[in-house]
Amino acid sequence: MMFSKIVVAAALLVSASAANATNIIMNGGFESPQISDPCCTTAPGNGTVAPWTVGLNGNVNVVNGYYGSQGVDMNAAPNLAKEGTQYLDLIGEGGAGSISQSFSTVLDQVYTLTFSYSHNIFGGPSDPAPLFSANFSVNGSSGTLLDGSVSHSSGTTSDLDWKTYTGSFAGTGAVETLNFTNTSPTTGNAGIFLDAISVSAAPEPATWMMMIGGFGVAGVAMRRRRRETLATV
């Protein structure tokens, strides 16, 4: 019984640490500005998706999650957002768009980048269905800390089939910048969708030591219980 209680306590500690991880990216679900109609709003190059900066080479759309259900009773239609009710299209009404946001980091602190992505199935070329793609990176004064690309082509008008990316990088103690740029297609009004973007710090070393210590105590308790059982046989 003691072993079970210790294991449960250690598991609760792990869960609490994950739950307490704070997202330092603001408006990562693109719930602002709020879109009241079943479509979208275009953010020009000078940016209105605060605190995101919209690149000058194109524009982006903040999309209401009911857009895929246009023409349907909005009270009965599903919301297609990954979280909340809105998401971002990396292409607005022109060239391939980009967004970025800067944030402060702690030296050698490990951070986890997570975001969900899909693609615009409601506009642009559809025959044949194109492969949508975008690049992302975390850049700082010391260079690129994390970079990569994502692609998507499996969304439908009833299920955007959101995928989730997760990656880690170490902070430099300086201000870093998270960037997203649509790479395919590069024109039109349909690009990669983004939602639920977060950058969170991993648990501090002291927290990990507490968790390791908890599991160590659990092991001692299990061995003691085993010896007591053998002694009574």
Side-chain angles (χ1 to χ4, degrees):
M1 182 66 68
M2 180 183 296
F3 171 69
S4 298
K5 289 181 178 179
I6 293 174
V7 171
V8 170
L12 289 174
L13 179 57
V14 173
S15 300
S17 298
N20 290 332
T22 301
N23 181 13
I24 57 179
I25 293 296
M26 306 299 292
N27 198 20
F30 304 102
E31 299 302 310
S32 177
Q34 185 174 359
I35 310 304
S36 58
D37 62 57
C39 182
C40 45
T41 185
T42 298
N46 59 6
T48 57
V49 196
W52 295 96
T53 297
V54 180
L56 297 176
N57 63 319
N59 53 50
V60 299
N61 270 345
V62 177
V63 184
N64 186 295
Y66 293 105
Y67 178 45
S69 303
Q70 57 183 327
V72 179
D73 180 2
M74 301 300 288
N75 295 320
N79 186 288
L80 300 180
K82 175 63 177 180
E83 70 171 24
T85 59
Q86 300 186 167
Y87 44 86
L88 185 93
D89 185 343
L90 271 176
I91 291 185
E93 304 294 335
S98 62
I99 58 169
S100 62
Q101 184 175 151
S102 297
F103 54 93
S104 299
T105 63
V106 176
L107 180 63
D108 294 331
Q109 169 69 62
V110 176
Y111 294 88
T112 299
L113 165 66
T114 301
F115 63 89
S116 296
Y117 61 97
S118 180
H119 73 283
N120 192 330
I121 194 69
F122 312 114
S126 59
D127 188 18
L131 181 68
F132 292 77
S133 60
N135 291 338
F136 65 91
S137 64
V138 178
N139 298 321
S141 57
S142 61
T144 300
L145 306 179
L146 179 68
D147 64 349
S149 63
V150 294
S151 59
H152 202 289
S153 62
S154 56
T156 69
T157 54
S158 59
D159 181 4
L160 290 179
D161 191 26
W162 291 96
K163 308 297 184 183
T164 299
Y165 169 86
T166 300
S168 299
F169 62 94
T172 64
V175 174
E176 320 295 358
T177 302
L178 173 62
N179 308 277
F180 293 92
T181 302
N182 208 87
T183 54
S184 179
T186 57
T187 60
N189 63 344
I192 281 283
F193 285 155
L194 295 173
D195 202 357
I197 302 173
S198 71
V199 172
S200 302
E204 296 292 340
T207 302
W208 284 115
M209 291 305 295
M210 289 175 63
M211 288 187 282
I212 293 171
F215 285 114
V217 171
V220 171
M222 183 175 66
R223 289 193 296 271
R224 179 179 300 170
R225 181 178 178 182
R226 184 177 301 163
R227 286 197 300 269
E228 291 174 352
T229 300
L230 292 173
T232 58
V233 174

